[in-house]
Amino acid sequence: MKIRSVLLLMAVVGVMPMWGQKRAMTVKELFELVETGSKTLQETKTSVDFAQKGVEAARAQRLPDVKASLSASYNGNVVVMDRDFTNAQGFSSPHFGNSFALEAQQVVYTGGAVNAGIRVAELQRDMAQNVQRSTFNAQRFLALGQYLDLFKIQNRMQVYEQNIALTRCLIDDIHAKQEQGMALKNDVTRYELQMETLKLGLRKLQDQQIILNHQLCNTLGLSEVNIMPDSTIVSQAFAHDGQQYWQQAALTSSPQMEQSELSTKMAEQQLKLAKSELLPKVAVVAADNFSGPFTYDIPPIDKNINYWYVGVGIRYNLSSLFKQNKKVRQAKTGVLRSQQQQKVVAESLDNQVQQAWTLWQQTYADLDTQKKSVQLARQNYEVVNERYLNQLALITDMLDASNIRLNAELQEVDARINIVYAYYKLKYIAGTI
């Protein structure tokens, strides 16, 4: 019997894949690694930096516009003639010419266009930050799903290994009975088929473990390691807050809700920009010009001339009186549409939270059912096993009892993990994960 057990252990180990270094990991560590290792998050961080540069560019519009020009030229001689091209007379002109001009303009009133443009850039940055937070939550939830699936598979593997060991003991007992003439070879064959089915199921789980572990390592930006989930997570007690608590949390924390609010604010700023085109633009202007020679006299005067001025400029686009009003009406409609979309998002979020909360409560009822199923399945197995050992039950009865017990134990393991998944899904929808 001992030799057979050793051979069985060698066979099971033989089908197990070679693993790299093991790394125990809690959910907190998982989330920290998502933040530092996710390639998707790196792209959103770059988008936030890009939007911040847009804010700086918009604020720069408040600075004055300064223009400067400098030139040197060679001037030819002046020729004067009548309008019929007769009586031409030449005058010598200074050949070297120079010009320097400096002009500064400071806008003091634009009808709110500059401030609205800055606010639009800030809202675009806030939207980029919201996308970053939304992506972060999504990556956390994705990694958690892979993490819990990995944990689920590892627990299933333990159940399979326990059932393989139990089946091995039954095979040994049947072999002993066969030697005593109390069992048929067909009984041994059936349980050996059951053993092969269990070993195949274990191998499939091991392959799934390899796939999920690889995917999780990529999500976290880790080199290939064997991630070992924290087994205490299934015994963690979660606060049983009511549905109203989660509804309020979603309204204040959900990235979806925040994005819709930002869209409404963006539409309002677009309306301000449209209205600003109906107002005049006022700027303070200063300029200085230094040039020579003075060519506006005959003959030209070889002198430098300098003049400057300071003043106030007003500009108004008259066509906006009959064009811009249409854009204003369009912008008002855009604000109304954004407000309506915000209500749609709130309604959708309410439905999502209600569904997630209800399913979370359902997982506890499911666990209670599965606990009772496991208890009954084990009692049934013990009774059938005792009857079989006393030759009061058939081998098929034992196989059925064994399969019922296996399925019940697997369902209980899944039910415990489903509670954790449902809770974090609720947090993900509410934006508090």
Side-chain angles (χ1 to χ4, degrees):
M1 183 180 298
K2 291 183 178 180
I3 295 177
R4 289 174 180 170
S5 299
V6 171
L7 291 175
L8 171 64
L9 179 62
M10 292 176 63
V12 173
V13 173
V15 300
M16 292 181 65
M18 296 299 294
W19 287 90
Q21 181 181 3
K22 292 183 178 180
R23 177 168 178 172
M25 186 178 298
T26 63
V27 172
K28 181 181 179 181
E29 293 171 338
L30 177 79
F31 289 165
E32 290 174 351
L33 286 171
V34 168
E35 185 172 5
T36 58
S38 172
K39 299 179 180 64
T40 304
L41 277 179
Q42 296 302 319
E43 187 274 333
T44 59
K45 291 178 181 178
T46 304
S47 297
V48 172
D49 292 339
F50 179 81
Q52 179 60 37
K53 297 297 187 296
V55 174
E56 296 172 2
R59 288 174 179 170
Q61 297 302 311
R62 289 174 172 170
L63 301 176
D65 292 327
V66 181
K67 299 178 183 179
S69 63
L70 176 65
S71 65
S73 62
Y74 177 84
N75 301 323
N77 291 328
V78 178
V79 178
V80 179
M81 65 185 70
D82 293 341
R83 297 297 300 274
D84 60 358
F85 302 102
T86 61
N87 297 322
Q89 185 179 0
F91 294 91
S92 178
S93 175
H95 294 304
F96 175 73
N98 58 274
S99 175
F100 173 73
L102 179 66
E103 181 181 355
Q105 177 176 293
Q106 176 63 59
V107 176
V108 293
Y109 181 73
T110 61
V114 173
N115 290 336
I118 294 173
R119 185 57 183 150
V120 166
E122 290 174 343
L123 288 171
Q124 289 174 340
R125 177 201 58 196
D126 294 344
M127 284 183 171
Q129 292 173 341
N130 178 266
V131 170
Q132 181 184 21
R133 189 165 74 89
S134 178
T135 304
F136 183 34
N137 289 343
Q139 289 296 301
R140 273 185 166 187
F141 189 61
L142 171 64
L144 179 70
Q146 295 170 336
Y147 178 88
L148 293 178
D149 284 342
L150 189 62
F151 185 31
K152 186 180 294 186
I153 286 176
Q154 290 177 355
N155 283 332
R156 284 189 167 200
M157 288 170 58
Q158 292 179 1
V159 173
Y160 264 87
E161 289 167 355
Q162 293 171 2
N163 278 270
I164 287 175
L166 184 60
T167 303
R168 181 73 265 171
C169 291
L170 284 174
I171 291 176
D172 291 340
D173 290 340
I174 295 174
H175 273 295
K177 288 182 176 294
Q178 183 186 16
E179 292 174 356
Q180 299 172 7
M182 300 173 61
L184 300 175
K185 181 176 177 56
N186 187 47
D187 295 337
V188 178
T189 302
R190 288 189 177 188
Y191 257 101
E192 286 178 342
L193 288 173
Q194 174 77 353
M195 172 68 77
E196 293 302 318
T197 301
L198 290 172
K199 287 166 63 176
L200 178 61
L202 178 61
R203 177 54 190 264
K204 289 181 178 180
L205 288 174
Q206 291 167 347
D207 291 340
Q208 293 177 21
Q209 183 184 16
I210 294 174
I211 294 171
L212 273 175
N213 190 83
H214 179 78
Q215 292 175 349
L216 183 55
C217 286
N218 282 338
T219 302
L220 301 179
L222 294 176
S223 57
E224 196 71 23
V225 294
N226 183 17
I227 298 175
M228 306 299 295
D230 181 14
S231 60
T232 62
I233 189 174
V234 294
S235 59
Q236 181 179 353
F238 301 118
H240 287 268
D241 297 307
Q243 183 182 154
Q244 188 59 37
Y245 167 83
W246 289 104
Q247 293 286 7
Q248 186 61 37
L251 290 176
T252 56
S253 303
S254 171
Q256 298 179 50
M257 201 65 206
E258 183 180 352
Q259 189 75 7
S260 66
E261 292 172 355
L262 289 172
S263 297
T264 300
K265 293 178 181 179
M266 179 72 76
E268 292 170 351
Q269 294 303 317
Q270 295 293 342
L271 176 58
K272 289 183 179 181
L273 282 173
K275 289 181 176 180
S276 69
E277 292 297 322
L278 295 171
L279 300 173
K281 309 297 185 292
V282 181
V284 176
V285 181
D288 184 85
N289 191 291
F290 179 85
S291 62
F294 185 76
T295 59
Y296 298 100
D297 200 359
I298 302 298
I301 302 174
D302 192 12
K303 298 286 185 178
N304 289 321
I305 181 172
N306 183 78
Y307 63 92
W308 60 272
Y309 63 87
V310 175
V312 177
I314 300 178
R315 180 173 59 86
Y316 185 76
N317 186 3
L318 294 175
S319 62
S320 63
L321 293 173
F322 54 86
K323 286 184 177 180
Q324 196 61 27
N325 57 345
K326 298 178 177 60
K327 292 185 178 179
V328 171
R329 287 198 294 268
Q330 181 186 22
K332 288 181 179 178
T333 304
V335 173
L336 179 60
R337 182 184 63 177
S338 297
Q339 293 171 344
Q340 292 172 343
Q341 289 176 344
Q342 188 173 340
K343 293 179 181 179
V344 171
V345 171
E347 180 181 328
S348 175
L349 196 60
D350 178 90
N351 290 335
Q352 293 179 49
V353 170
Q354 189 273 339
Q355 181 184 26
W357 186 85
T358 303
L359 293 178
W360 178 43
Q361 300 304 308
Q362 181 181 320
T363 57
Y364 285 98
D366 184 49
L367 177 61
D368 292 338
T369 301
Q370 296 305 327
K371 284 181 179 179
K372 187 64 176 179
S373 297
V374 169
Q375 179 183 355
L376 295 175
R378 287 175 177 173
Q379 291 176 358
N380 177 69
Y381 180 85
E382 291 172 358
V383 170
V384 174
N385 184 46
E386 183 67 24
R387 293 183 62 194
Y388 176 76
L389 293 177
N390 293 324
Q391 297 183 337
L392 298 176
L394 301 175
I395 187 66
T396 53
D397 298 329
M398 277 297 300
L399 288 173
D400 290 340
S402 177
N403 288 329
I404 291 173
R405 174 176 173 172
L406 172 62
N407 290 329
E409 290 173 344
L410 290 175
Q411 293 297 325
E412 182 189 13
V413 170
D414 291 350
R416 293 182 182 277
I417 298 176
N418 287 341
I419 290 177
V420 180
Y421 181 81
Y423 174 74
Y424 277 99
K425 184 176 182 180
L426 181 58
K427 287 176 67 69
Y428 167 65
I429 293 174
T432 60
I433 188 171

